[in-house]
């Protein structure tokens, strides 16, 4: 990326970022024209290519921008300061709801990018996601007290199962072509949290 992008006034940077989120969230990678992003941002296509060498560079920049914003919101909601896994997850849910309300196109873009199969960006997106997930999983697991859970439970396996079920839930929404609104996310995820607590926690640890 051309570092001159960061010399632009913040509002112009944000227009370009928002335009990318919006166009890429509405189409596949292959069917998202740079011209449409430039038009949405109110700049020429040649100027957009001046800041980003090609579509892949812009796409990965937006993915990393979304990841940075997500980490900021997770930190603001103190998601990894608890020793209670389900409290961490609940705080994370509210952080994601805040982001959906504040950056609706970013949330839609991030979900679409996660499931994007275009070879040009697939490996980069999945590698980045795995790095973020592995770090957050390690942070979360290091804080847990095994005595809070049913005897003999493999905490790492439990965490992975919960992760896969969460991904499966989002995949089902994406396959239906439905829009994931904040109220639906809160209701469905709260029900899943209650279920997981009953399955994995010792009875005396249930609140």
């Amino acid at each position: 990326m051309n570092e001159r992008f960061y010399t632009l006034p913040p509002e112009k940077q944000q227009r370009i970022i928002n335009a990318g989120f919006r166009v890429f969230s509405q189409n596949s990678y292959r069917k998202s024209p740079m011209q449409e992003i430039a038009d949405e941002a109110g700049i020429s296509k040649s100027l957009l290519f001046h800041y980003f060498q090609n579509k892949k560079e812009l796409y990965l920049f937006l993915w990393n921008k979304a990841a940075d914003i997500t980490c900021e919101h997770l930190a603001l909601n103190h998601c990894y300061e608890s020793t209670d896994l389900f409290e961490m997850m609940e705080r994370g849910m509210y952080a994601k709801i805040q982001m959906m309300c504040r950056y609706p196109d970013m949330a839609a873009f991030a979900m679409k990018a996660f499931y994007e199969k275009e070879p040009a960006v697939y490996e980069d997106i999945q590698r980045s996601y795995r790095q973020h997930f592995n770090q957050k999983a390690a942070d979360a697991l290091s804080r847990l007290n095994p005595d809070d859970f049913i005897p003999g439970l493999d905490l790492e396996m439990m965490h992975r199962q919960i992760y896969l079920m969460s991904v499966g839930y989002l995949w089902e929404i994406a396959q239906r072509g439905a829009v994931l609104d904040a109220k639906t996310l809160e209701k469905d995820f709260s029900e899943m949290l209650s279920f997981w607590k009953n399955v994995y926690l010792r009875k005396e640890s249930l609140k």
Side-chain angles (χ1 to χ4, degrees), residues 63 121-132 134:
W63 170 261
V121 295
Y122 175 79
E123 285 297 335
D124 292 282
I125 294 295
Q126 293 303 314
R127 187 184 306 110
S128 170
Y129 185 84
R130 285 193 298 271
Q131 288 173 348
H132 280 90
N134 290 339

Side-chain angles (χ1 to χ4, degrees), residues 19 56 65 69 120 129 154 190 200:
K56 175 180 178 179
K65 184 69 175 178
I69 292 173
Y129 185 84
D154 184 327
S190 293
Y200 295 119

Side-chain angles (χ1 to χ4, degrees), residues 16-170:
I16 295 171
I17 289 169
N18 288 341
F21 282 150
R22 187 168 301 116
V23 173
F24 282 126
S25 71
Q26 294 171 351
N27 308 280
S28 67
Y29 173 84
R30 189 178 291 272
K31 294 183 179 179
S32 296
M34 291 289 272
Q35 182 65 65
E36 189 174 338
I37 296 171
D39 292 344
E40 183 81 22
I43 61 174
S44 67
K45 186 169 77 167
S46 61
L47 190 55
L48 183 60
F49 276 115
H50 175 68
Y51 297 128
F52 299 94
Q53 185 176 357
N54 50 46
K55 183 162 67 171
K56 175 180 178 179
E57 189 172 72
L58 174 58
Y59 195 85
L60 295 179
F61 167 80
L62 293 171
W63 170 261
N64 289 320
K65 184 69 175 178
D68 289 343
I69 292 173
T70 300
C71 289
E72 289 171 10
H73 275 71
L74 292 174
L76 286 171
N77 283 270
H78 310 287
C79 293
Y80 296 100
E81 295 179 14
S82 174
T83 58
D84 182 328
L85 174 64
F86 300 104
E87 184 178 354
M88 293 183 212
M89 295 176 68
E90 189 169 23
R91 291 178 185 179
M93 174 187 70
Y94 286 117
K96 290 182 174 76
I97 288 173
Q98 288 172 12
M99 286 188 295
M100 287 177 66
C101 294
R102 189 172 180 184
Y103 306 101
D105 293 317
M106 187 196 82
F109 162 77
M111 189 166 84
K112 200 168 190 71
F114 179 76
Y115 292 112
E116 177 61 62
K117 298 303 182 186
E118 170 60 42
V121 295
Y122 175 79
E123 285 297 335
D124 292 282
I125 294 295
Q126 293 303 314
R127 187 184 306 110
S128 170
Y129 185 84
R130 285 193 298 271
Q131 288 173 348
H132 280 90
F133 172 77
N134 290 339
Q135 182 59 57
K136 295 303 180 187
D139 290 345
L141 289 169
S142 69
R143 295 176 178 274
L144 301 186
N145 180 1
D147 292 338
D148 290 338
F149 299 88
I150 57 176
L153 181 65
D154 184 327
L155 296 182
E156 188 173 349
M157 180 63 73
M158 174 200 66
H159 187 273
R160 179 163 177 76
Q161 285 182 341
I162 289 175
Y163 159 72
L164 291 173
M165 285 186 279
S166 300
V167 170
Y169 166 73
L170 293 175

